[in-house]
């Protein structure tokens, strides 16, 4: 099956590779379902139902041939943080979880209706990398009590670590031994991607626990998978509670789409496939509505399952359909055995699934290139210190603030001509660049708009006034493709200020949209002094200076 057909709308007959990939992914989905439901504080059956519903619906609507839409670690953590802010018993929080998933589905569909897929570009990669790193650290740390067999209760990460250290004398050795052996198998078999290591660890761990009665050695078991759907009872919620639930669902939608789109896009680019953001918004919306209908969990295209599907040789979306069907069969057949799975082994599976997010190389690279490292650090630290939801919001706010700071405070370069060329460059970086006599050429590093225009142009005018030899001031609009009303007025005011000092104000790299708004504003003089290139503006300035000197009337300049 060729790649174009694999990513097209219709599903053709599944190939042998789809069958193998589906069975391999099912072996991963089962332990992941148990693990992620544990993170969310919900019955494991909810994650199983969500995976089955998500995979089937996505195969019908979505377009990525590698995406496996099921519960994810990050969405499970955010859901747990959301539910922790509401009082009530387990039944109440179960209904709240279902409502949150349904709201998430509706938000996805609303985003599709308004064609907001373009907003994917506004989720900065450093935010995602820092968030994933901090989230992985937080989740892994919270698995340690399951391994040690000693619960730790704390309100923040620092108290949690302190409490964990205090319990060291009470640790039960059986848990760390079981976890270490499980991790050895999980990491040791990664060279064989077709081997369902997580599933094998679940079966072996549960079988050993059943055969040797491991709970008597301090290994607590996960218990039976609850697969019974209960008719939900509407909780006693005030309007303020519903409003807060909707607000808290927005970060859930954000991280679901960020994680899903990042996984889909990376896999699609790797194989030359084509996917559309708006189409995937609709697919994720319907998948989450289906998950809510079966009282499941939030679903998205998780990194680990998608990469496992690719590694197993998936050729089409049939692989996720086969994975969903195989998962359902496995749960029915092996649910009794899985009930005996030690929590320490389950914790090891969670740690293994999140190990890829602990790779520091993407964060180290940001420090090497000295770009956006503080944004990534804020995302990671925010998750650890303030929790998942607040940490995500803090990271997004920090990235937006960093963007606005860069745009509002652009660097201003004075330009000179590179010897023997028609090119103009920053004289601070290129000392060999020659500054035209009696001419000052400045270029802001960012587009002019309401937040920076007045300050930027005032700085340029002040710099020009400090050099009495300058007769012509040139503003290069290389980064400015259009003008808002504030930037327009700031340019007109700067023209008047420079003219009042006996100088001429020219515009370089003035594109047609800039000329159009100047014309509409009646700034005919500026339109006449606007040039398409710095070279043309510099030549016009040279003629003005020459004429002024030859006529010996500098006051008219």
């Amino acid at each position: 099956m060729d790649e174009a057909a694999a990513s097209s709308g219709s599903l053709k007959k599944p190939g042998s590779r789809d069958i193998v990939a589906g069975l391999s992914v099912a072996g991963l989905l089962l332990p992941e379902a148990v693990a992620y439901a544990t993170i969310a504080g919900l019955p494991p059956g909810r994650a199983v139902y969500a995976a089955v519903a998500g995979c089937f619906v996505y195969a019908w609507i979505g377009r990525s041939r590698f995406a496996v839409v099921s519960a994810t670690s990050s969405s499970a953590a955010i859901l747990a943080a959301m539910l922790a802010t509401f009082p009530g018993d387990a039944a109440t929080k179960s209904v709240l979880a279902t409502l949150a998933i349904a709201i998430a589905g509706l938000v996805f569909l609303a985003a599709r209706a308004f064609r907001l897929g373009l907003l994917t570009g506004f989720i900065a990669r450093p935010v995602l990398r820092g968030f994933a790193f901090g989230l992985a650290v937080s989740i892994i740390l919270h698995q340690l009590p399951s391994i040690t067999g000693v619960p730790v209760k704390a309100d923040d990460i620092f108290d949690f670590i302190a409490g964990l250290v205090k319990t060291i004398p009470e640790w039960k050795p059986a848990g760390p031994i079981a976890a270490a052996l499980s991790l050895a198998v999980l990491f040791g078999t990664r060279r064989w991607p077709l081997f369902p290591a997580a599933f094998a660890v679940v079966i072996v761990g549960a079988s050993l626990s059943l055969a040797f009665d491991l709970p008597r050695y301090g290994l607590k078991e996960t218990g039976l998978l609850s697969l019974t759907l209960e008719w939900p009872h509407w909780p006693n919620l005030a309007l303020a509670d519903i409003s807060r639930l909707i607000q808290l669902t927005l970060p859930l939608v954000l991280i679901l789409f960020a994680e899903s789109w990042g996984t889909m896009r990376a896999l699609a680019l790797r194989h030359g496939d084509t996917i559309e953001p708006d189409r995937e918004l609709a697919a994720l919306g319907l998948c989450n509505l289906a998950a809510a209908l079966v009282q499941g969990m939030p679903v998205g295209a998780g990194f680990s399952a998608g990469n496992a599907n690719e590694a197993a040789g998936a050729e089409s979306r049939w692989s996720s359909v086969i994975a969903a069907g195989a998962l359902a069969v496995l749960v029915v057949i092996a649910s009794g055995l899985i009930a005996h799975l030690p929590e320490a082994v389950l914790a090891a599976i969670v740690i293994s699934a999140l190990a890829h997010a602990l790779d520091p190389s993407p964060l180290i690279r940001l420090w090497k290139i000295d770009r956006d490292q503080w944004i990534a650090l804020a995302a990671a630290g925010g998750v650890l210190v303030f929790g998942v939801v607040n940490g995500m919001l803090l990271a997004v706010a920090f990235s937006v603030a960093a963007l606005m700071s860069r745009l509002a405070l652009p660097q201003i370069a004075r330009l000179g001509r590179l010897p023997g060329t028609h090119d103009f460059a920053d004289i601070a970086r290129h000392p060999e660049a020659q500054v035209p006599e009696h001419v000052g050429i400045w270029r802001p590093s960012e587009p002019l708009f309401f937040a920076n225009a007045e300050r930027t142009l005032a700085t340029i005018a002040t710099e020009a006034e400090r050099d009495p030899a300058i007769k012509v001031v040139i503003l290069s609009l290389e980064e400015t493709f259009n003008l808002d009303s504030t930037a327009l007025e700031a340019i007109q005011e700067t023209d008047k200020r420079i003219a009042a000092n006996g100088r001429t104000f020219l515009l370089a790299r003035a594109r047609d949209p800039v000329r159009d708004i100047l014309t509409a504003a009646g700034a005919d003089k500026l339109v006449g002094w606007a040039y398409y290139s710095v070279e043309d503006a510099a030549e016009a300035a040279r003629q003005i200076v020459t004429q002024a000197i030859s006529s010996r009337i500098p006051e008219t300049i």
Side-chain angles (χ1 to χ4, degrees):
M1 182 181 296
D2 58 58
E3 294 182 357
S7 60
S8 64
S10 60
L11 274 175
K12 297 184 178 181
K13 185 178 179 180
S16 58
R17 289 189 177 184
D18 288 325
I19 297 174
V20 172
L23 295 176
S24 300
V25 170
L28 175 65
L29 287 181
L30 180 55
E32 280 194 348
V34 178
Y36 298 157
T38 302
I39 292 173
L42 295 172
R46 293 190 62 134
V48 173
Y49 282 127
V52 173
C55 285
F56 275 119
V57 173
Y58 183 81
W60 172 43
I61 301 295
R63 288 295 178 263
S64 171
R65 59 183 167 130
F66 299 113
V68 178
V69 178
S70 60
T72 67
S73 58
S74 55
S75 63
I78 290 181
L79 183 62
M82 291 172 55
L83 298 179
T85 64
F86 291 90
D89 56 14
T92 298
K93 294 194 174 184
S94 177
V95 177
L96 289 173
T98 302
L99 285 175
I101 299 164
I103 293 170
L106 293 175
V107 172
F108 275 122
L109 292 179
R112 167 61 183 87
F114 288 101
R115 298 185 179 277
L116 298 182
L118 57 89
L119 295 180
T120 54
F122 288 87
I123 304 174
R125 292 186 181 185
V127 170
L128 294 179
R129 288 167 180 158
F131 177 82
F133 187 85
L135 183 62
V137 171
S138 177
I139 294 175
I140 288 174
L141 283 175
H142 283 85
Q143 299 308 305
L144 297 182
S146 296
I147 294 175
T148 63
V150 182
V152 176
K153 293 184 179 180
D155 295 329
D156 57 60
I157 192 67
F158 303 107
D159 291 339
F160 179 83
I161 294 175
L164 192 64
V165 173
K166 289 179 181 178
T167 63
I168 290 179
E170 305 173 38
W171 287 6
K172 301 172 183 178
I177 292 173
L181 291 174
S182 300
L183 287 172
V185 173
L186 291 167
F187 287 120
T189 56
R190 287 193 170 182
R191 66 186 70 182
W192 302 296
L194 293 181
F195 179 68
F199 181 68
V201 167
V202 168
I203 298 301
V204 173
S207 300
L208 291 176
S209 180
L210 178 62
F212 297 100
D213 192 18
L214 294 184
R216 67 176 177 172
Y217 298 102
L219 286 177
K220 186 179 178 181
E221 296 178 339
T222 57
L224 287 171
L225 291 176
S226 175
L227 300 177
T228 304
L229 289 177
E230 298 180 358
W231 187 258
H233 299 281
W234 184 264
N236 186 19
L237 291 177
L239 183 60
D241 293 327
I242 297 176
S243 175
R244 184 154 58 97
L245 182 65
I246 295 175
Q247 294 173 25
L248 292 175
T249 302
L250 296 180
L252 175 65
V253 172
L254 179 62
I255 192 60
L256 272 176
F257 189 58
E259 182 179 22
S260 300
W261 179 250
T263 299
M264 294 173 185
R265 181 173 57 180
L267 293 172
L269 290 175
R270 198 178 299 168
H271 294 270
D273 295 344
T274 301
I275 54 175
E276 300 176 3
D278 288 327
R279 179 84 186 194
E280 302 307 324
L281 280 172
L284 289 173
L286 292 175
C287 286
N288 277 279
L289 286 179
L293 188 64
V294 298
Q295 301 176 43
M297 287 180 59
V299 293
F303 177 85
S304 57
N307 279 266
N309 198 22
E310 178 206 27
E315 294 180 323
S316 74
R317 298 191 302 279
W318 271 112
S319 61
S320 66
V321 174
I322 294 168
L327 175 62
V329 173
L330 284 173
V331 169
V332 172
I333 294 176
S335 60
L337 178 62
I338 296 170
H340 295 282
L341 178 67
E343 288 187 351
V345 175
L346 181 59
I349 294 173
V350 174
I351 293 173
S352 173
L354 293 172
H356 67 276
L358 293 180
D359 180 10
S361 56
L363 302 181
I364 293 174
R365 179 177 178 274
L366 295 178
W367 288 93
K368 287 182 177 179
I369 65 176
D370 193 23
R371 287 293 184 275
D372 302 323
Q373 64 269 36
W374 297 109
I375 296 176
L377 185 62
V383 171
L384 290 172
V385 177
F386 301 106
V388 177
V389 177
N390 292 333
M392 182 65 178
L393 294 176
L394 175 67
V396 173
F398 194 88
S399 63
V400 172
L403 171 65
M404 294 305 298
S405 176
R406 188 178 75 246
L407 292 177
L409 299 171
Q411 296 180 352
I412 302 173
R414 186 171 180 181
L415 306 183
R417 187 198 304 271
L418 294 175
T421 72
H422 297 288
D423 300 324
F424 287 76
D426 184 358
I427 60 175
R429 290 179 172 270
H430 300 273
E432 73 278 11
Q434 301 170 351
V435 178
E437 190 175 8
H438 302 299
V439 178
I441 308 173
W442 282 274
R443 180 187 64 203
S445 62
E446 305 294 341
L448 294 180
F449 71 114
F450 65 88
N452 66 16
E454 293 182 1
R455 183 186 298 106
T456 300
L457 295 178
T459 300
I460 292 173
T462 300
E463 288 293 322
E465 290 167 358
R466 290 175 180 171
D467 186 353
I470 292 179
K471 303 303 180 184
V472 180
V473 176
I474 299 176
L475 171 64
S476 175
L477 297 174
E478 181 175 344
E479 304 298 332
T480 304
F481 294 88
N482 210 332
L483 298 173
D484 59 23
S485 60
T486 301
L488 169 66
E489 292 175 7
I491 287 178
Q492 292 176 304
E493 292 164 359
T494 302
D495 176 39
K496 293 178 181 179
R497 175 177 172 177
I498 290 175
N501 291 319
R503 297 176 169 90
T504 302
F505 184 50
L506 307 182
L507 301 177
R509 300 301 298 271
R511 295 171 173 81
D512 289 333
V514 172
R515 296 165 181 264
D516 291 342
I517 192 172
L518 289 172
T519 301
D524 296 333
K525 174 188 172 186
L526 280 172
V527 174
W529 290 124
Y531 297 88
Y532 284 105
S533 69
V534 178
E535 168 69 17
D536 290 343
E539 175 60 24
R542 186 190 65 78
Q543 294 177 8
I544 293 173
V545 171
T546 300
Q547 181 181 359
I549 293 176
S550 63
S551 64
R552 298 174 182 267
I553 312 178
E555 296 78 15
T556 63
I557 300 177

